Amino acid sequence: FAAQAAPKPLVGRHALVTSGPTHEPIDPVRYIANRSSGKQGHAVAAALAALGARVTLVSGPVRLPDPAGVNVVAVETASEMLTACRAALPADIFVAAAAVADWRVEAAGQKLKKRDGGGPPALTLTENPDILATLSTTGPYRPELVVGFAAETNDVVAYARAKRLRKGCDWIVANDVSPATGTFGGDRNSVHVIRADGTEEAWENLAKTEVASRLAAAISNHFVNGKK
Ligand code: CTP
Ligand code: CA
């Protein structure tokens, strides 16, 4: 007899997930990046797909295989990530797990040369669009459930509560990315989940895949029970 099929409570739902770092070019050969590995975001995409969601994963440059059964859109910069996310709407669920660069450089069209004179070049930085805030607050296509992440190195929960309000998202998953925690690039994570209804949960020292499964389960609970 057949094994019982796993329940798929998110069948019929479209989930949009961002993951990884972004790369912001300085010139044709150089860029600014950050330490994000994409492990947490990719694991969230896989976990939502496992519950039956149709998943679009918009990812910056990572050294990870594409999760099975997920539609992956590869981008480099924050601006490209925003464009790809907008193009993927409408979605029922948006999970912003990417470590989006806060600033981009006014990039040079040609390689900057050491001997051009004038010493080291000054980089002019411009603020990038905030993808999470944009999708949380604009237009008729706001996903029903918007989940942000918050990378903090101190006062994690207090900063994350304020960040959730500022971004207009429903839930925020706060993680401590101090070097001693090994979160950036590592396989484990400790997070605080902060919801608009005031409930907060601490998920301590778990594999990133387990954080992803719990988050996907909480998301499916929302859609099954209407719990926000
Ligand atoms: N985020 C985003 N677009 C940006 C910056 C951040 O979508 N340009 C999203 C991240 O994917 C994450 C959340 O916003 O879900 C919080 O990112 P974080 O870097 O912690 O917050 P910032 O608002 O950028 O504030 P700061 O870096 O100054 O703490
Ligand atoms: Ca930031």
Side-chain angles (χ1 to χ4, degrees):
F1 41 7
Q4 203 180 330
K8 305 264 186 201
L10 291 177
V11 166
R13 303 288 179 179
H14 179 210
L16 173 61
V17 180
T18 66
S19 184
T22 63
H23 286 182
E24 307 296 330
I26 296 170
D27 69 13
V29 298
R30 305 180 177 98
Y31 58 84
I32 292 180
N34 63 62
R35 295 187 187 281
S36 168
S37 64
K39 284 177 186 168
Q40 188 63 78
H42 276 53
V44 170
L48 290 167
L51 295 185
R54 175 168 76 83
V55 180
T56 304
L57 174 61
V58 178
S59 177
V62 294
R63 299 169 66 172
L64 294 173
D66 291 351
V70 165
N71 173 31
V72 179
V73 181
V75 298
E76 282 201 11
T77 66
S79 299
E80 290 168 8
M81 190 173 271
L82 176 60
T83 301
C85 285
R86 281 199 165 121
L89 295 176
D92 304 287
I93 301 153
F94 177 48
V95 181
V100 184
D102 291 320
W103 304 285
R104 67 177 172 275
V105 183
E106 227 168 73
Q110 273 116 41
K111 186 184 170 191
L112 298 172
K113 300 295 286 178
K114 208 166 29 180
R115 303 281 174 235
D116 273 353
L123 301 182
T124 306
L125 300 181
T126 308
E127 193 164 327
N128 269 329
D130 190 315
I131 298 160
L132 174 59
T134 303
L135 267 62
S136 285
T137 54
T138 52
Y141 288 124
R142 186 199 191 271
E144 176 176 330
L145 187 64
V146 177
V147 182
F149 272 71
E152 309 291 351
T153 58
N154 54 297
D155 296 335
V156 174
V157 174
Y159 275 125
R161 285 186 193 126
K163 198 170 272 181
R164 191 192 69 73
L165 293 170
R166 205 164 57 239
K167 305 269 186 176
C169 56
D170 301 302
W171 302 352
I172 203 155
V173 180
N175 53 357
D176 188 337
V177 293
S178 311
T181 65
T183 298
F184 259 129
D187 289 321
R188 300 186 78 78
N189 208 351
S190 290
V191 304
H192 270 82
V193 181
I194 297 165
R195 296 185 172 89
D197 69 3
T199 58
E200 298 188 1
E201 284 174 44
W203 299 347
E204 303 280 355
N205 191 23
L206 300 171
K208 286 181 177 176
T209 49
E210 177 62 22
V211 171
S213 303
R214 289 192 188 191
L215 186 62
I219 288 169
S220 97
N221 263 343
H222 163 79
F223 283 96
V224 174
N225 307 325
K227 183 172 179 288
K228 208 157 198 174

